[in-house]
Amino acid sequence: MRGRKKTAVLLLVALLVGVISSADDKISVEATGNPSKTQQEIKDKENEKNQLTGQLDEEKDKIGSLQGETNTLQGHLNNLNTQLTEVSDHLADLEQQIKDKEQDILETQAALEEAREIEALQYSSMVIRARETYERNDTGIVSAILNAGSFAEMVNAADYFQSIAAYEQRKLDEFMENRRLIEDQEARLQADRAELENMRVEVEAEQSRVSGLINQTSNSIARYESEISEAERRARDYEEQIRKADEDLDALRKKLAEELALSRQAANSVWRDISEVTFAEGDRKLLANLIYCEAGGEPYEGQVAVGSVVINRVLSSVFPDTVVGVVYQNRQFSPVASGRLALALAEDRATAKCYQAADEAMSGYTNVGQCLFFRTPIEGLTGINIGGHVFY
């Protein structure tokens, strides 16, 4: 009965091998770490690369936007610096005007003080002469008139003293007028100075405003430049990750090609009979714990199927010819690489069902024909579905 069942399964497997062999460029085959898994890893890596490329494009767009903002701000900053230069030049000009005006005021005040002194001196001289003229009886205008020898001399004396008085009065009037002019000039200078001071206050306020805008704009530029620097760093990281993803994809594609070749070779290889296999001590425990790691939560038939894949590889001429060699073949069974198998072996976690499945497989029984691979089902992959695995 078991022989007929095995024959039927072998026929089914032969059909599956033919299907897989004719479509191996479309769909890869795998066990844990086998071609189909590699194909899935390639897809995952391509998705990762696409995601990184999208993130890189976003960072580049952000860099472009930030650079545009920075260029706009730099242009604004240049204009502000030009304004500040103009305002500063205007302020310097006002400062010079104020300085010149203050010098003019000082000179005017000195001239005014001198005019006042001359005016006071002239006035004092007139008062003294007038007092002397009227207080002295033997001199002055009265004596000159009374002692005149003729009427003509008397008239001349009177005219003389009158002209002297008129001259002194005229000079006094001139000094007073000059003083008033100087006072008017001082007032104008003071008014001009006050106006310049007001203008200086306004220009200083404008200078302070422009300086504040320059500081604000400079800070914004510095912030944008910092953000650009950070975005460029992220972009470089994404570029490095993309480069690494490309390397990983190349390696995975190379691995896939090798595994596809191995799969085709295995389909056409020489197979030993179970009677030709000599199991070593510890093979049963090793196989049972591998079944536990790979299919501990699967139904019993699924556990037997995993054991059968291992024994099929032992029987195939393209795989190692021992259980240990098959289980520990590089990059074949993920529990080996992750360390789960080592932990399971250390505590012998395999259940009685796992040991029973190992015994059936090691006896030569297979419920998956000559399948050499298994994995969780993926779209497009056909085979023998048992529990959560597809065997092919």
Side-chain angles (χ1 to χ4, degrees):
M1 180 68 179
R2 176 170 292 183
R4 288 197 300 274
K5 183 175 181 181
K6 181 175 181 180
T7 300
V9 171
L10 288 174
L11 289 174
L12 176 60
V13 170
L15 290 173
L16 288 173
V17 169
V19 171
I20 293 173
S21 298
S22 63
D24 57 6
D25 289 335
K26 179 179 178 183
I27 301 174
S28 58
V29 291
E30 75 151 51
T32 305
N34 282 293
S36 289
K37 180 180 180 182
T38 304
Q39 184 72 19
Q40 188 64 38
E41 288 176 349
I42 290 174
K43 291 180 180 179
D44 293 342
K45 187 60 67 173
E46 287 174 342
N47 290 335
E48 177 187 346
K49 178 185 174 182
N50 291 336
Q51 182 178 3
L52 288 170
T53 301
Q55 292 172 325
L56 176 61
D57 290 340
E58 289 179 4
E59 290 299 331
K60 288 182 175 179
D61 290 342
K62 183 177 181 180
I63 290 171
S65 176
L66 288 170
Q67 286 176 336
E69 292 288 342
T70 301
N71 292 338
T72 300
L73 286 172
Q74 189 62 55
H76 183 51
L77 180 61
N78 292 338
N79 290 334
L80 287 173
N81 282 324
T82 300
Q83 292 180 38
L84 182 61
T85 299
E86 293 174 352
V87 171
S88 298
D89 290 344
H90 188 194
L91 182 60
D93 182 60
L94 284 174
E95 293 284 358
Q96 186 60 45
Q97 290 184 51
I98 292 172
K99 184 177 179 181
D100 293 342
K101 194 68 68 175
E102 289 175 343
Q103 183 62 34
D104 290 343
I105 290 173
L106 289 175
E107 293 174 358
T108 302
Q109 288 175 339
L112 179 60
E113 185 62 28
E114 183 180 359
R116 286 171 177 164
E117 291 176 357
I118 294 173
E119 179 187 341
L121 181 60
Q122 183 66 19
Y123 181 76
S124 298
S125 298
M126 288 179 61
V127 171
I128 292 172
R129 283 193 292 272
R131 184 183 299 117
E132 289 177 347
T133 299
Y134 291 103
E135 289 180 352
R136 292 172 58 187
N137 295 325
D138 56 337
T139 59
I141 187 171
V142 176
S143 296
I145 292 174
L146 294 177
N147 294 327
S150 65
F151 180 73
E153 290 178 356
M154 181 180 66
V155 172
N156 288 335
D159 289 340
Y160 170 74
F161 283 106
Q162 186 177 1
S163 64
I164 291 174
Y167 170 78
E168 291 181 346
Q169 183 61 50
R170 186 171 63 253
K171 295 301 292 182
L172 179 60
D173 290 341
E174 289 177 0
F175 287 129
M176 292 177 65
E177 178 62 22
N178 185 51
R179 176 178 57 80
R180 284 194 297 270
L181 291 175
I182 294 174
E183 288 175 344
D184 291 342
Q185 183 180 3
E186 182 191 25
R188 286 193 302 272
L189 290 172
Q190 293 287 4
D192 291 344
R193 184 183 183 282
E195 183 179 355
L196 289 171
E197 287 287 354
N198 290 333
M199 291 176 63
R200 180 171 67 176
V201 171
E202 294 176 359
V203 173
E204 285 177 343
E206 179 66 9
Q207 184 185 46
S208 177
R209 185 186 71 83
V210 175
S211 295
L213 290 175
I214 287 175
N215 289 334
Q216 181 180 350
T217 305
S218 297
N219 290 337
S220 297
I221 290 175
R223 185 175 67 254
Y224 281 135
E225 287 177 344
S226 176
E227 291 181 14
I228 288 173
S229 178
E230 180 62 21
E232 288 176 339
R233 183 195 62 76
R234 289 194 297 270
R236 288 193 298 271
D237 289 345
Y238 289 137
E239 288 172 347
E240 176 60 23
Q241 292 178 53
I242 290 171
R243 185 193 64 76
K244 182 63 168 58
D246 283 334
E247 290 181 353
D248 292 344
L249 281 171
D250 289 341
L252 286 170
R253 290 184 181 116
K254 182 178 179 180
K255 177 185 175 185
L256 177 62
E258 293 172 350
E259 291 174 343
L260 285 172
L262 181 64
S263 178
R264 287 190 294 268
Q265 183 182 357
N268 298 311
S269 68
V270 176
W271 288 69
R272 294 187 297 168
D273 186 78
I274 191 68
S275 62
E276 300 177 53
V277 178
T278 300
F279 293 104
E281 184 180 355
D283 283 352
R284 180 173 180 264
K285 178 180 178 181
L286 175 61
L287 182 58
N289 277 277
L290 178 66
I291 292 171
Y292 169 79
C293 292
E294 291 283 13
E298 295 292 316
Y300 177 69
E301 288 185 354
Q303 295 176 357
V304 173
V306 169
S308 297
V309 166
V310 174
I311 299 303
N312 282 343
R313 291 192 180 192
V314 173
L315 298 176
S316 171
S317 61
V318 300
F319 288 94
D321 58 3
T322 64
V323 173
V324 172
V326 167
V327 171
Y328 288 106
Q329 188 176 11
N330 188 35
R331 297 183 302 175
Q332 294 301 304
F333 296 97
S334 60
V336 175
S338 67
R340 288 178 57 226
L341 178 59
L343 292 174
L345 284 169
E347 300 177 6
D348 194 11
R349 296 179 181 177
T351 64
K353 288 292 185 182
C354 291
Y355 272 102
Q356 182 180 347
D359 290 338
E360 280 213 66
M362 293 172 70
S363 72
Y365 171 74
T366 172
N367 59 350
V368 291
Q370 288 185 321
C371 290
L372 297 169
F373 309 107
F374 67 90
R375 62 154 294 123
T376 54
I378 59 173
E379 183 179 355
L381 178 63
T382 59
I384 301 173
N385 291 287
I386 302 176
H389 289 123
V390 58
F391 295 82
Y392 42 91

